[in-house]
Amino acid sequence: MSKYYLTEVDKEPHTVYCRHDLMGERVLKAHQHAKGQFLYTEGGIVHIKTDEKTYFLPARHYIWIPPNTMHTIRTTSVEATMRNLYFEVQDTDSDFFRHTGIYPVNDLLFEMLLYTHRWTGDISPQNNAAGYAFTTAIKAILPEMSSYSLPLSLPYPTDARLENIVDYMSKNLHEQVTFSHLAKQFGFSERSLARLFHKDVDMSFVQFFTLQRMLKALEYLLEEKKNVNEVAFLVGYNSVPTFSNTFQKVIGLRPSEYIKLRGVQD
C-alpha cells in the first residue's frame, strides 16, 4: 500500500480526498493531516492511538479524526480494507468536527460510503462536480446522523508506573484482579494508587478495568467470533448475566444483541 496518507491527502487543501484500499501493513506510523479523516474499516480489528487515548474501532462503526491530530493505526489483518474520506474543516463548521469520536454506521451512511468506491484521490468541483457534491453531502449529514459517540476508548497513561500497571491489567483480564492485590503487587497503598488513576487517566481503577474488559470482549466477539459464555469467562466474569449487564451499560446493547446487529456470526 502506497503511503498516500503521508504525501497526497493535503496536496490540494480545498478538495475531498477519497481512498479505498487494503491496509497492506499492520501498522501505519504516527502521522497527521490538515484535513479531517472519516475512517471505516472492514475485515479486521482496528486500534487508533492518539496522544491522549487509544480507540477501538469495531465493525459497522466509523471514527472521525479531527484535522492535525497525530495518530497511529494498527490492525489485526493486513487484508483489512480502509475506506477513507478526508475533508477540509472550516471555522464555520460544526463543533462535531473538532473532536475524535466513534459512531455507528447506519444503512444510509453505509450505502453512501460504498458509492464513493468509484472515486480515488482528490475530488473537487472542477474535476468532478457530482462526486464533490455527493461527498460533501456525507460530511454535511455526519453531525446530525452521529449524535451518539460510543465510549470505545481508553486514556493513555503518561506516568510510567501506571503504564506498567495498566499493561499488567491488560494481560490478565481473565483473572479476578482486585485493587488491593494490584496496589500491593506494585508497591502502592490503595489510597495512593487510587489518586494516581484519577490524576493520570481521570478514571477510577474499576472504570478503567471495566473498559479494558469490554473492549477486549468486543474483539473476541468480532474477530474471533466466540460465543457470549466464552467471552464472559475470557474477560474475567464468572457470571454471564453480570457480564451481559456490564456490556450493555458500556456499549448500549447486550452481547447477544450486538452479535446479531453487527452480523458477527456467519
Side-chain angles (χ1 to χ4, degrees), residues 61-250:
H61 293 76
Y62 78 90
I63 185 168
W64 172 260
I65 305 173
N68 302 309
T69 299
M70 188 67 70
H71 59 284
T72 303
I73 301 174
R74 298 175 182 271
T75 184
T76 57
S77 172
V78 296
E79 298 300 316
T81 297
M82 297 177 63
R83 299 190 183 279
N84 291 288
L85 292 170
Y86 300 85
F87 296 103
E88 179 184 15
V89 176
Q90 301 175 338
D91 293 341
T92 54
D93 282 335
S94 166
D95 192 55
F96 167 89
F97 295 107
R98 292 168 181 80
H99 301 282
T100 304
I102 291 177
Y103 306 91
V105 171
N106 63 19
D107 290 341
L108 172 61
L109 184 56
F110 181 69
E111 292 299 329
M112 293 179 76
L113 182 60
L114 289 182
Y115 191 80
T116 67
H117 184 69
R118 64 195 61 208
W119 303 310
T120 298
D122 289 300
I123 305 172
S124 70
Q126 292 75 34
N127 69 15
N128 185 347
Y132 185 77
F134 187 87
T135 51
T136 53
I138 292 177
K139 179 191 172 189
I141 65 175
L142 289 182
E144 181 178 349
M145 190 173 286
S146 308
S147 58
Y148 177 66
S149 176
L150 290 178
L152 302 180
S153 64
L154 281 174
Y156 189 72
T158 57
D159 188 298
R161 298 170 298 169
L162 190 57
E163 190 174 354
N164 289 334
I165 292 170
V166 165
D167 183 61
Y168 173 84
M169 290 162 57
S170 71
K171 293 175 180 176
N172 292 275
L173 296 177
H174 60 290
E175 300 288 348
Q176 297 297 314
V177 177
T178 65
F179 187 67
S180 58
H181 169 78
L182 203 62
K184 183 177 181 180
Q185 179 165 340
F186 286 88
F188 285 87
S189 69
E190 291 185 36
R191 185 176 180 181
S192 61
L193 183 55
R195 283 200 303 262
L196 181 58
F197 264 96
H198 279 289
K199 179 182 177 182
D200 198 25
V201 296
D202 197 29
M203 285 184 180
S204 69
F205 159 76
V206 171
Q207 290 172 319
F208 194 95
F209 198 34
T210 299
L211 268 176
Q212 271 192 323
R213 283 173 157 172
M214 294 305 103
L215 294 185
K216 189 63 178 179
L218 278 171
E219 186 172 331
Y220 284 135
L221 290 169
L222 292 168
E223 183 69 10
E224 301 187 25
K225 300 186 180 179
K226 296 183 181 297
N227 65 46
V228 175
N229 288 7
E230 288 179 296
V231 173
F233 175 77
L234 287 170
V235 296
Y237 286 83
N238 292 326
S239 165
V240 174
T242 300
F243 165 69
S244 181
N245 289 339
T246 305
F247 189 96
Q248 183 182 36
K249 287 179 182 178
V250 175

